[in-house]
Amino acid sequence: MYLYNSATHKKEEFKTHTPGRVEMYTCGPTVYHFAHIGNLRSYIMEDVLEKYLRFAGYDVNRVMNITDVGHLSSDADTGEDKMLKGAKRENKTVMDIAKFYTDAFFDDCRKLNIKTPDVVQPATGCIDEYIQIISKLVDTGYAYLAGGNVYFDSSKLERYYIFNDHDEDDLAVGVREGVEEDSNKRNKNDFVLWFTKSKFEDQALKWDSPWGVGYPGWHIECSGISMKYNGEYLDLHCGGVDNAFPHHTNEIAQSESYLGHPWCPQWFHVHHLNDPAGKMSKSKGEFLTVSLLEEKGYDPLAYRWFCLQSHYRKTLVFSWENLDNAAAAYTKLLNRIAALKPEGDVDQAVFNEYREKFLQQVGNDLNTSMAVTAVFDALKAKTNDATKLAVIGEFDKVLSMSLLEKAAALREKAAQAVQSGGGDYVITGEGDPEIDAKVLARYEAKKAKNFAEADRIRDELKAQGIEVTDVKGGAAWKRV
Ligand code: AMP
Ligand code: ZN
């Protein structure tokens, strides 16, 4: 696989420390509110990356943290504590807020077919690990105490900025909100490893440490959790592009200073989903969620499809019109798959050829729009339906669009409607489940007010020599 590496600013051949094994780390959500669909764009693309790596034969160990402590409203250690802010807003304890929004996050992931990482670790569960790392950093002179806090001394590094090809806008994300000078810092890029009670008297969660009762800074959690579950050599680190600075920059600084050797060579950053008005942000309080999409009648997978259609290194602009287009394309695709007959033997040579092409194309910097095109190409392939279904099922191991399951459900529904006679929508015809499925799909499209799709299906049927007549309570079709 070739993957763009934001640490080297180049597309490179993907390599791992141990052949065949990928140690992969993902920055998890800050659980003080629901995830917005922008956050979920990052998790969808990281999910596709993980599934692609498995598809390509790697054994993947994917680790993710849950930020339930230490993340202040500015990524640069100033402002209010995000978890406290959530707790105050809802009059609950920090732990209640964390539990509620962690569950909500995984519910959203489930609806979007995002696999749960192999290890999910709340930040509050690894305090001893952070203390061990910070102690060594203090002992070796990489960290210092000032005003009750422990800071990382960025001047001790030969090179601090790693991801400096990002837009100024992205670079500034962390320092834009709540700019507030911290006079304890010796250098502007120094960051907090451990806060003591001197910072927030009302901090709900605090732990004893060699530097006083307090709590960890945000950046240390990802280094600590990754080293615990991925080991000393991480192969691939993922996150949204706003995480590159200062969060990932600081993770590298402290991890390499602690370990004394390079830590993670490959960095995967997903660019943002914006709404037409600009940045989507949880802290603004008004944002789009998966539940909202569902309330408006969208299948969450239509949003996944929308994300897959564009490249992860391009900013994506959300609009309802764009989502409608993706939803219509997804429905159309399912209808076409439902019309395939699951009969005959799979042509293994054709299957292998399509699989190999998919592996190559998608392996070019996770080209998901090519993956989408590959499904349509498979539908047009000069082979039997059983082979097409097998190929599509194979691609869906990476895409996770429930293509075969949903298409099978459509066929089933069509068959039931025909058999039941007294059901909601009765189709009478000449006993061909493929045609029944299309007639039903036309009805579903009309019900969803997707008239363009309904007309398209009618025209497709017409081209097959099928005439459909709407009758009371259903439709009748015949070959003409
Ligand atoms: P947070 O819950 O704020 O810690 O963010 C969770 C993940 O979402 C991180 O990897 C962020 O980099 C990412 N993220 C934040 N905003 C966006 C956005 N608008 N589009 C895509 N990813 C985002
Ligand atoms: Zn992180």
Side-chain angles (χ1 to χ4, degrees):
M1 166 173 226
Y2 283 82
L3 207 53
Y4 181 83
N5 180 0
S6 11
T8 57
H9 323 300
K10 282 200 295 267
K11 197 156 81 177
E12 292 170 341
E13 191 174 355
F14 181 73
K15 293 202 181 78
T16 59
H17 186 74
T18 306
R21 165 104 178 159
V22 185
E23 292 295 344
M24 179 174 181
Y25 186 85
T26 298
C27 288
T30 309
V31 284
Y32 72 113
H33 220 318
F34 292 109
H36 58 58
I37 59 170
N39 300 127
L40 291 159
R41 178 190 189 198
S42 287
Y43 295 111
I44 288 171
M45 300 321 282
E46 291 160 2
D47 180 64
V48 180
L49 177 58
E50 175 191 345
K51 286 173 179 160
Y52 177 85
L53 291 169
R54 291 187 194 274
F55 186 79
Y58 285 103
D59 172 20
V60 182
N61 177 36
R62 175 141 175 237
V63 178
M64 185 173 89
N65 64 307
I66 298 287
T67 300
D68 54 357
V69 70
H71 195 170
L72 306 190
S73 59
S74 147
D75 288 353
D77 306 330
T78 58
E80 232 184 320
D81 181 292
K82 290 195 182 192
M83 294 304 297
L84 274 179
K85 194 170 151 186
K88 272 189 216 150
R89 184 186 64 233
E90 297 181 22
N91 232 339
K92 291 188 184 144
T93 66
V94 167
M95 286 323 265
D96 286 344
I97 289 285
K99 160 115 188 53
F100 180 82
Y101 288 112
T102 303
D103 290 348
F105 172 73
F106 285 112
D107 278 348
D108 288 346
C109 288
R110 196 177 30 77
K111 290 174 187 164
L112 291 165
N113 282 354
I114 299 172
K115 174 185 168 293
T116 303
D118 303 280
V119 177
V120 175
Q121 174 64 65
T124 45
C126 288
I127 302 296
D128 289 347
E129 281 80 359
Y130 316 144
I131 291 180
Q132 189 199 325
I133 298 171
I134 301 168
S135 301
K136 183 168 171 192
L137 291 173
V138 172
D139 290 349
T140 50
Y142 283 105
Y144 59 91
L145 274 92
N149 296 332
V150 184
Y151 293 86
F152 185 88
D153 186 347
S154 57
S155 73
K156 293 280 189 296
L157 303 175
E158 272 174 35
R159 182 168 170 236
Y160 172 72
Y161 290 107
I162 305 287
F163 307 108
N164 54 1
D165 69 337
H166 290 301
D167 299 345
E168 268 304 303
D169 255 10
D170 289 328
L171 275 175
V173 166
V175 282
R176 202 163 43 215
E177 300 168 36
V179 185
E180 175 190 303
E181 277 299 311
D182 181 345
S183 57
N184 294 321
K185 290 188 184 181
R186 291 184 191 159
N187 313 289
K188 104 172 158 22
N189 288 323
D190 292 358
F191 56 92
V192 180
L193 294 165
W194 188 267
F195 289 103
T196 70
K197 61 184 175 204
S198 58
K199 177 88 187 182
F200 285 111
E201 295 302 339
D202 61 347
Q203 178 69 15
L205 299 173
K206 27 191 178 201
W207 297 264
D208 208 2
S209 84
W211 318 283
V213 175
Y215 61 101
W218 173 39
H219 315 297
I220 194 71
E221 70 181 72
C222 290
S223 295
I225 291 171
S226 176
M227 283 182 211
K228 179 167 180 183
Y229 298 104
N230 294 115
E232 285 194 7
Y233 294 93
L234 184 61
D235 296 307
L236 178 60
H237 196 310
C238 312
V241 70
D242 58 305
N243 281 164
F245 183 85
H247 184 50
H248 292 161
T249 308
N250 293 347
E251 280 186 39
I252 296 171
Q254 67 205 4
S255 300
E256 299 199 344
S257 305
Y258 171 76
L259 292 167
H261 61 68
W263 176 50
C264 179
Q266 290 159 129
W267 292 77
F268 175 87
H269 287 121
V270 181
H271 284 243
H272 274 185
L273 175 88
N274 292 334
D275 57 32
K279 187 181 169 240
M280 208 170 281
S281 156
K282 270 199 253 190
S283 55
K284 284 190 204 156
E286 277 175 29
F287 49 82
L288 297 170
T289 57
V290 170
S291 311
L292 186 74
L293 300 189
E294 284 185 304
E295 274 164 35
K296 287 183 179 278
Y298 292 95
D299 177 344
L301 289 182
Y303 175 65
R304 185 174 172 109
W305 192 242
F306 169 69
C307 291
L308 294 179
Q309 286 173 333
S310 68
H311 195 250
Y312 75 93
R313 278 198 297 122
K314 287 206 178 95
T315 301
L316 184 58
V317 178
F318 178 83
S319 73
W320 293 106
E321 196 188 342
N322 291 345
L323 185 62
D324 282 340
N325 290 337
Y330 181 46
T331 311
K332 186 169 152 185
L333 174 65
L334 292 177
N335 289 331
R336 287 181 65 182
I337 300 171
L340 297 173
K341 291 189 186 77
E343 289 162 8
D345 292 332
V346 174
D347 184 332
Q348 206 55 45
V350 174
F351 177 88
N352 292 346
E353 181 196 322
Y354 273 78
R355 191 185 194 280
E356 189 52 35
K357 199 165 151 205
F358 181 87
L359 203 59
Q360 297 302 329
Q361 289 180 328
V362 185
N364 180 7
D365 199 19
L366 203 69
N367 193 336
T368 50
S369 62
M370 271 305 223
V372 165
T373 308
V375 180
F376 288 101
D377 287 348
L379 278 168
K380 285 185 263 164
K382 287 193 176 47
T383 185
N384 65 10
D385 286 2
T387 308
K388 291 182 188 181
L389 285 166
V391 168
I392 292 168
E394 191 68 3
F395 294 173
D396 209 33
K397 288 182 182 166
V398 178
L399 294 169
S400 280
M401 289 299 305
S402 300
L403 295 176
L404 296 190
E405 299 88 318
K406 290 214 175 215
L410 276 177
R411 292 167 68 89
E412 183 66 18
K413 210 166 153 192
Q416 273 172 9
V418 176
Q419 282 160 14
S420 72
D424 290 335
Y425 189 74
V426 181
I427 300 168
T428 41
E430 296 172 18
D432 184 328
E434 279 68 42
I435 305 296
D436 291 339
K438 281 191 192 174
V439 172
L440 187 70
R442 173 175 166 263
Y443 166 68
E444 298 278 352
K446 269 168 65 175
K447 215 166 65 177
K449 300 206 174 5
N450 189 347
F451 298 112
E453 171 66 0
D455 289 349
R456 190 198 63 77
I457 299 171
R458 195 201 45 221
D459 291 347
E460 195 177 296
L461 286 164
K462 206 165 155 192
Q464 279 180 271
I466 307 292
E467 187 185 88
V468 186
T469 317
D470 290 318
V471 295
K472 197 165 180 292
W477 64 265
K478 61 175 189 229
R479 292 183 205 276
V480 288

